Amino acid sequence: MSKKVLPVALSNRHIHLCQEDIEKLFGVGHELTKVKDLSQPGQYACEEKVDLVGPKNIIKGVRVLGPARPKTQVEISIADGFILGLKPPVRDSGDIAGSPEFKIVGPKGEVEMEEGIIAAARHIHMHTSDAEAFGVVDKQRVKIRTGGERAITFENVLVRAHETYALEMHIDVDEGNAAGLKNGEMVELITE
């Protein structure tokens, strides 16, 4: 049986904003400015950046990703949490309930957030045809084995299968560095 391999991408800290918060931070009627497309269809990095303010410190210049979302969500690493003085829960994207309070500062205003900052759980985006080829289904948890000098096996990796997704595993920079991974390297999906 051949190995099931896919590329990995290391996700740096970033923010997804709802339109209401875009306008509070950048001005009424502001539209996000696309800089470059990301690997997932329809997603893009924006010119806009904001500062995150925690009880202990500030992280400046956090990249906004587009398009606008229904709810504002910040994705940081555990190490970023130490800098800010926060303990971001490890969660699947969109699961922000009960996450720490923080503040977002933009050039035209700021937003006090009661929740919305997480350390994104490791996950795999894949097209439904990839899921079929890999023998997995949406929301299944799998393992991922890396190679090289710092080879490790990631457990509890969420499969997110949808007809609009492109095949790629997402982990944060902390996890990628611990495994000695770089963007685009191939990893092996394991179902047991």
Side-chain angles (χ1 to χ4, degrees):
M1 186 169 136
S2 63
K3 288 184 178 183
K4 301 171 187 172
V5 296
L6 64 148
V8 68
L10 281 58
S11 182
N12 203 353
R13 67 181 76 100
H14 61 273
I15 185 167
H16 302 279
L17 294 169
C18 68
Q19 187 60 39
E20 180 183 350
D21 290 342
I22 290 169
E23 295 191 16
K24 286 179 184 174
L25 296 164
F26 297 99
V28 175
H30 187 85
E31 299 279 329
L32 295 175
T33 310
K34 184 194 297 190
V35 173
K36 71 173 188 173
D37 288 318
L38 299 177
S39 59
Q40 293 306 308
Q43 304 294 306
Y44 52 90
C46 300
E47 184 178 288
E48 291 82 1
K49 294 180 182 179
V50 296
D51 298 339
L52 302 179
V53 181
K56 188 174 165 186
N57 214 331
I58 299 170
I59 296 179
K60 293 187 169 288
V62 176
R63 178 79 60 194
V64 175
L65 301 186
R69 294 242 179 131
K71 278 188 162 182
T72 292
Q73 173 180 295
V74 177
E75 296 177 29
I76 63 172
S77 69
I78 300 297
D80 290 334
F82 292 136
I83 292 167
L84 291 170
L86 300 172
K87 291 185 180 176
V90 177
R91 301 265 183 86
D92 295 336
S93 183
D95 182 6
I96 60 172
S99 57
E101 295 179 14
F102 65 103
K103 183 165 63 174
I104 308 167
V105 178
K108 301 269 174 102
E110 53 188 53
V111 179
E112 294 279 350
M113 299 292 296
E114 292 182 8
E115 60 187 15
I117 194 164
I118 63 170
R122 54 185 78 114
H123 58 279
I124 301 166
H125 290 275
M126 58 174 61
H127 190 276
T128 48
S129 62
D130 292 318
E132 190 175 322
F134 278 70
V136 296
V137 296
D138 187 47
K139 295 189 174 65
Q140 182 175 341
R141 301 279 175 174
V142 297
K143 296 179 183 179
I144 291 289
R145 181 179 297 139
T146 72
E149 225 179 327
R150 302 187 84 186
I152 62 171
T153 300
F154 289 107
E155 307 228 359
N156 301 315
V157 182
L158 176 68
V159 172
R160 297 180 65 199
H162 193 272
E163 60 203 22
T164 62
Y165 292 162
L167 185 62
E168 189 172 63
M169 178 186 180
H170 289 177
I171 55 176
D172 69 29
V173 172
D174 289 355
E175 293 174 305
N177 287 340
L181 290 169
K182 292 182 176 66
N183 284 325
E185 286 191 48
M186 301 305 279
V187 294
E188 180 185 1
L189 185 144
I190 302 164
T191 53
E192 294 177 342

